[in-house]
Amino acid sequence: MAMQSLLEGRVIDSLTGQVPRVPVAVHLRDRSDPDLPEVELRRVITADGRFSFSGDPDHAFGRLATTSYLLRLEASAPFYTDAAVDFDLAATGGQPATVTIPVPDQDDAEVRLFTATLPRAGLDLALAPQPVTVRGRVVRSADPTAGVDGATVDVTGGPTETADGDGRFEFVAPLQEVLEITVSATGFDDNVLDHEVAYGQAINEIVVPLRPQ
């Protein structure tokens, strides 16, 4: 029996292009058989987000010579929106093929391997962080207990909000690693701050002090 890597890819964070910093799960489904919970292949996921599915070619996709396979890869991780990609393996005559391979100090061996459309590489999935809410308060720099009524909160590439009478505001953050936030109010100097979004927290809280002119 020969185990062959059949499907390979990587799961990344769509925002950073890096591997998510939380555990990642990857599943392989058969779209032509919705009652099948998962395609039975050996699955490996490494720390850098790379995954592979492997199996014995005479059993995994064993009908590929005459039958196309309609497949779906699904990826999930905490604090991320699930991602999926559909792809097909077209029927390919003569697969798996009998291949002769050299064996050191022994006679050559014949094994069954896919030699045409498999292995399939580059099946990458990008997980988008789940949206977070930024909740904050604009206060007087000399008295952090006193809110600034009606302050304008402008997010570069995102919304513009008006703080309430107590200086409080709230918005759903645009999908950015760092938010540039400009806060202004009549009679105060503007305050421009960079907020690094914590996507592992549903609510990010900030306090923005304004200095009187």
Side-chain angles (χ1 to χ4, degrees):
M1 177 184 296
M3 293 290 289
Q4 181 182 10
S5 178
L6 304 173
L7 306 171
E8 300 172 358
R10 191 177 186 216
V11 180
I12 62 171
D13 182 314
S14 67
L15 187 58
T16 66
Q18 304 299 315
V19 59
R21 297 179 182 178
V22 292
V24 172
V26 181
H27 300 280
L28 181 64
R29 316 287 186 188
D30 187 340
R31 301 188 340 260
S32 62
D33 188 358
D35 294 329
L36 184 68
E38 192 166 1
V39 178
E40 294 185 2
L41 293 176
R42 182 174 180 268
R43 175 182 53 211
V44 174
I45 305 175
T46 61
D48 64 353
R50 299 184 188 279
F51 63 85
S52 67
F53 288 86
S54 59
D56 167 19
D58 277 322
H59 295 90
F61 310 133
R63 304 188 311 277
L64 190 62
T66 58
T67 304
S68 296
Y69 287 82
L70 311 180
L71 303 174
R72 171 174 294 151
L73 273 171
E74 299 173 348
S76 61
F79 313 119
Y80 287 87
T81 301
D82 293 350
V85 59
D86 292 342
F87 64 100
D88 302 337
L89 299 180
T92 307
Q95 297 294 314
T98 300
V99 179
T100 301
I101 61 173
V103 180
D105 302 324
Q106 298 183 40
D107 293 335
D108 292 347
E110 289 189 344
V111 297
R112 299 274 286 169
L113 293 174
F114 291 107
T115 60
T117 58
L118 292 171
R120 180 81 172 265
L123 293 166
D124 297 347
L125 296 106
L127 293 175
Q130 291 178 345
V132 302
T133 295
V134 175
R135 182 180 295 165
R137 189 179 186 215
V138 184
V139 299
R140 295 174 176 268
S141 59
D143 182 7
T145 65
V148 177
D149 183 6
T152 298
V153 181
D154 181 68
V155 183
T156 301
T160 298
E161 302 290 337
T162 301
D164 65 14
D166 198 30
R168 300 186 185 278
F169 63 89
E170 182 176 307
F171 61 87
V172 176
L175 195 60
Q176 301 173 8
E177 289 186 78
V178 178
L179 304 180
E180 182 180 293
I181 304 173
T182 301
V183 180
S184 58
T186 302
F188 294 84
D189 292 332
D190 292 355
N191 188 351
V192 180
L193 67 152
D194 292 331
H195 172 68
E196 185 174 352
V197 182
Y199 281 100
Q201 302 174 12
I203 296 177
N204 287 205
E205 296 195 9
I206 61 175
V207 176
V208 186
L210 291 185
R211 185 186 301 276
Q213 292 176 340

